[in-house]
Amino acid sequence: MPEIIPNLHPLLVHFPIALLSVAAFFHVTAIGMRGKSCATHCAVVAHAALWLGALAALPAAFFGWQAFNSVNHDEAGHAAMLVHRSWALATLVLLAVLAGWDAWRNKVEAIPEGWFATAVIAAWAMVAVTAWHGGELVYRHGLGVMALPEAEAGHGSHNHGVMTNGEGHPHADVLPEDNAHEHSPYEHTH
């Protein structure tokens, strides 16, 4: 595996997040459109997104388990990983139950019942909480990422290519025609 990505969990985890978001939206939409011709189309998307989201959660959980057992971490990171793992496993079980129930009890074009849409929204909320805790692992604890280089003399010791209007004010006051050169937003000099 490439060195920058220690495992496939970060790549795969976004599929169930997106699919469950779509499933929750279209469950509600299908119920709201009941009696209209587009309700059946919304129901098809709702059911399919739920089933695909639950299926996509399986490899995401597998590679999450692999990451749990292989990513370097400290005590605080380990505690945060345990919270994320608990939410992920509970969410996976709920998704499997909901998708299994839905596939067994409903035709793909069946308009969802209100109680079931509520359960899908609850599952989506659990996915969101799990994702939040996963983000905390990366952004708060730095797990699964390569270390950033140490700044030599603090952040203020290098130039970010900020343009000024000649009076020392940041480039927000500068119009393009005021500059003698083109400035790319991707320019970054040290």
Side-chain angles (χ1 to χ4, degrees):
M1 227 165 284
E3 185 178 327
I4 196 165
I5 301 175
N7 61 59
L8 293 176
H9 182 66
L11 172 69
L12 297 174
V13 75
H14 296 92
F15 291 103
I17 293 169
L19 287 165
L20 269 296
S21 297
V22 168
F25 175 81
F26 278 97
H27 271 80
V28 172
T29 303
I31 291 170
M33 297 290 179
R34 191 182 305 268
K36 296 181 179 158
S37 62
C38 63
T40 302
H41 299 296
C42 291
V44 169
V45 174
H47 295 298
L50 175 61
W51 303 340
L52 290 172
L55 286 174
L58 294 172
F62 172 79
F63 285 105
W65 188 266
Q66 179 191 30
F68 179 81
N69 291 306
S70 63
V71 172
N72 290 331
H73 56 278
D74 58 8
E75 291 287 328
H78 185 74
M81 285 171 50
L82 290 173
V83 171
H84 178 63
R85 183 188 70 179
S86 296
W87 275 98
L89 292 175
T91 302
L92 182 64
V93 168
L94 179 59
L95 289 176
V97 168
L98 287 176
W101 173 270
D102 193 42
W104 177 55
R105 300 292 293 174
N106 292 309
K107 294 180 181 175
V108 73
E109 71 274 357
I111 306 299
E113 297 293 326
W115 70 267
F116 193 79
T118 302
V120 170
I121 291 168
W124 172 81
M126 289 181 70
V127 167
V129 170
T130 303
W132 174 269
H133 287 293
E136 287 279 308
L137 292 175
V138 174
Y139 294 106
R140 184 174 306 275
H141 298 282
L143 300 182
V145 298
M146 294 177 72
L148 294 174
E150 292 290 325
E152 292 176 15
H155 185 75
S157 67
H158 61 275
N159 179 4
H160 280 273
V162 175
M163 296 184 314
T164 65
N165 62 4
E167 298 174 7
H169 297 216
H171 89 77
D173 298 339
V174 178
L175 298 175
E177 59 268 56
D178 293 339
N179 294 314
H181 70 280
E182 290 292 317
H183 180 71
S184 167
Y186 303 107
E187 222 174 83
H188 188 166
T189 58
H190 290 280

